[in-house]
Amino acid sequence: MELLSPTDSIFLIGESREHPMHVGALQLFDPPANGPDGFVHELYEQVTALTDFSPMFRKRPATLLGGIANIGWTVDDDVDVSYHLRRSALPTPGRIRDLLELISRLHSTLLDRHHPLWEAHVIEGLPEGRFAVYTKMHHSLVDGVSALKLTMRALSDDPDDTELRVPWALPARTSKRPAVEGPGLLRTIAGTVGSVAGLAPSTVKLANAALIEQQLTLPFTAPRTMFNVKIGGARRFAAQSWPFERIQRVKAAAGVTVNDVVLAMCAGALRAYLIEQNALPDAPLISMVPVNMRSDGDSSAGGNMVGTVLCSLATDVEDPGHRLEAISASMRGNKEVFASLPRTEALALSALMIAPLGLGAVPGYVAAAPPPFNVVISNVPGPRQPMYWCGARMSGDYPVSIVMDNLALNITLVSNDKNLDFGLIGCRRSVPHLQRLLGHLEDSLADLERAFGV
């Protein structure tokens, strides 16, 4: 049996029918130009024969001593590929809205803990022979960055590469670093406590940045919004791509980062959406922005190693140009504080930033306390060249993330070839007409282009 880290176990402990704790991705593929008529059927049949599962895809939660759960993994030696790999077809004429509605339903259901915690769905019925693959994995197994890297390893940048690879049957990557014995339970707990205690030497520095220099955005400074409520179990998913070149032109003209432009694009869309709902607060919305804290040596490992920065979205600012400048200043100040900390302390500070989300299960807490932040906006780096699966070109790669009590909306995007692919997931009850945010995102980007003359 393998023990879970405290961070990974939180995703199991906090899971319920209203709070599925898995991350997913929707990939769209164009069939090969010279592929057979039954290309997707043949591909599915070949995939079902790949049953040499890597260790990550054989894990399921263990129960110790007759009742203690959520602290360890057991290994399933008889994985049923027909259970984990599923085939679906959209109704004619195979509209994208039908595909997104299907993903909304699939992402709303819990993974069965009696099986390894993952599923893959091959979805046919799109026009012109296109097809989709939706995968989901429990967040206790993998974070978004690791999941993307794993998926990309199954693809190729060569359109003539016909070797079939799937994430669950990839060979382990060899490491040049010496093997290190895995931590025991006491060592893992001690390491976590030590990380938090390690913040003590930096307390004066953090307090100075937060209270005097005002560089550090802290939890509980966000206004209450329609996104910060108790949620139900049903989800709604929306997705769209934007040319990366458009964002780069605004970046160059404004003298900011790509992520600053993405945040401003989202801020303008959220402002317009909330105005449409008669729900825009006077104070600016605060976004939690995940930051990858893996080194090159551990970039393909499982588990979670993501830091968090809080950023003011300046949704109280009407002018899009001034809003971008305010967002850039907020991100710059917060990142400077984190950059001054060792990685262990930065991870511990990140954990403290998001810890209030765990209080959402306390009766009455969400209604009584101010939200720690309003929304999550995550920008995950992906491939900057076309990618192929057995000759089928991946035309879209849309992340499908997690929402929870006090955080009913998540916006995650991935760079894919010449595009940025946005995936929006929200509580179906709490975020009405989620798809309208896609139109507001386009309008917001156009406003930024006009503001900077590009």
Side-chain angles (χ1 to χ4, degrees):
M1 190 197 70
E2 176 187 348
L3 293 171
L4 280 86
S5 74
T7 301
D8 296 342
S9 66
I10 286 172
F11 291 105
L12 290 172
I13 295 170
E15 186 170 59
S16 67
R17 173 63 193 92
E18 291 76 24
H19 309 96
M21 290 292 176
H22 48 254
V23 292
L26 171 65
Q27 297 172 317
L28 295 180
F29 290 94
D30 298 329
N34 57 350
D37 290 340
F39 174 80
V40 180
H41 173 71
E42 291 183 11
L43 190 64
Y44 177 82
E45 292 296 321
Q46 294 173 30
V47 169
T48 58
L50 299 177
T51 57
D52 186 15
F53 298 95
S54 65
M56 182 188 302
F57 290 85
R58 295 193 292 126
K59 292 180 180 179
R60 57 181 175 82
T63 300
L64 307 179
L65 304 176
I68 302 175
N70 303 320
I71 65 169
W73 296 113
T74 188
V75 175
D76 195 329
D77 293 323
D78 187 21
V79 180
D80 181 1
V81 68
S82 64
Y83 172 82
H84 294 277
L85 178 64
R86 307 174 186 189
R87 186 181 177 197
S88 304
L90 299 174
T92 304
R95 300 172 299 180
I96 291 296
R97 63 180 295 180
D98 296 324
L99 174 63
L100 297 180
E101 185 61 32
L102 174 60
I103 302 307
S104 300
R105 292 197 298 271
L106 293 175
H107 204 68
S108 301
T109 59
L110 293 168
L111 288 163
D112 187 347
R113 297 193 183 191
H114 294 92
H115 298 271
L117 298 180
W118 63 276
E119 292 177 5
H121 299 254
V122 178
I123 304 168
E124 303 175 62
L126 288 162
E128 300 175 353
R130 293 190 299 159
F131 65 99
V133 176
Y134 164 72
T135 56
K136 67 180 183 182
M137 294 182 65
H138 205 277
H139 210 322
S140 59
L141 282 175
V142 67
D143 61 41
V145 173
S146 296
L148 177 67
K149 288 182 178 293
L150 190 65
T151 303
M152 289 303 105
R153 285 183 60 202
L155 305 180
S156 172
D157 58 5
D158 180 4
D160 297 322
D161 183 356
T162 57
E163 180 183 354
L164 179 61
R165 293 177 291 270
V166 291
W168 57 85
L170 292 171
R173 278 184 165 170
T174 57
S175 174
K176 296 181 180 179
R177 297 183 300 175
V180 178
E181 181 184 354
L185 178 60
L186 292 178
R187 191 186 310 172
T188 301
I189 294 174
T192 302
V193 173
S195 298
V196 176
L199 282 174
S202 302
T203 300
V204 174
K205 181 192 302 180
L206 294 171
N208 181 68
L211 303 177
I212 300 175
E213 299 176 9
Q214 296 183 336
Q215 287 180 288
L216 187 63
T217 303
L218 297 173
F220 301 111
T221 59
R224 180 166 297 282
T225 73
M226 61 185 295
F227 306 134
N228 308 118
V229 295
K230 298 283 284 186
I231 65 171
R235 302 290 176 261
R236 182 176 275 115
F237 178 64
Q240 191 167 318
S241 301
W242 277 269
F244 189 56
E245 184 182 2
R246 293 180 64 185
I247 284 85
Q248 283 184 310
R249 285 199 296 261
V250 176
K251 164 194 174 293
V256 297
T257 69
V258 165
N259 203 47
D260 292 340
V261 179
V262 167
L263 289 169
M265 183 178 169
C266 295
L270 290 168
R271 173 183 165 88
Y273 176 84
L274 290 172
I275 289 174
E276 186 177 74
Q277 299 292 323
N278 296 314
L280 179 67
D282 294 332
L285 269 65
I286 303 296
S287 173
M288 190 270 271
V289 184
V291 178
N292 179 30
M293 302 190 72
R294 294 182 184 276
S295 63
D296 292 338
D298 54 17
S299 61
S300 60
N304 295 270
M305 195 175 293
V306 179
T308 56
V309 171
L310 301 188
C311 174
S312 170
L313 294 179
T315 48
D316 57 331
V317 178
E318 184 175 357
D319 182 88
H322 294 161
R323 189 184 309 125
L324 173 55
E325 292 168 0
I327 289 170
S328 180
S330 178
M331 281 298 294
R332 185 168 58 251
N334 283 287
K335 287 192 291 187
E336 285 175 358
V337 174
F338 273 78
S340 68
L341 298 174
R343 186 171 74 163
T344 300
E345 294 183 23
L347 283 168
L349 178 59
S350 297
L352 291 176
M353 289 282 196
I354 64 173
L357 286 177
L359 298 174
V362 177
Y365 172 82
V366 172
F373 40 85
N374 301 113
V375 65
V376 173
I377 302 174
S378 181
N379 185 357
V380 182
R384 299 308 310 276
Q385 69 280 342
M387 301 298 289
Y388 301 85
W389 189 37
C390 293
R393 182 179 180 276
M394 184 176 70
S395 57
D397 187 13
Y398 304 101
V400 196
S401 195
I402 290 174
V403 295
M404 57 187 69
D405 284 340
N406 231 352
L407 199 65
L409 174 66
N410 181 296
I411 301 174
T412 304
L413 56 139
V414 172
S415 51
N416 171 34
D417 191 11
K418 298 179 180 179
N419 291 329
L420 288 180
D421 294 344
F422 282 67
L424 284 62
I425 189 79
C427 168
R428 197 176 191 95
R429 181 185 64 194
S430 308
V431 189
H433 309 294
L434 173 66
Q435 67 278 5
R436 292 183 183 175
L437 272 167
L438 299 177
H440 291 312
L441 282 166
E442 169 58 32
D443 293 341
S444 180
L445 179 56
D447 287 342
L448 289 167
E449 289 170 328
R450 284 190 292 269
F452 292 95
V454 297

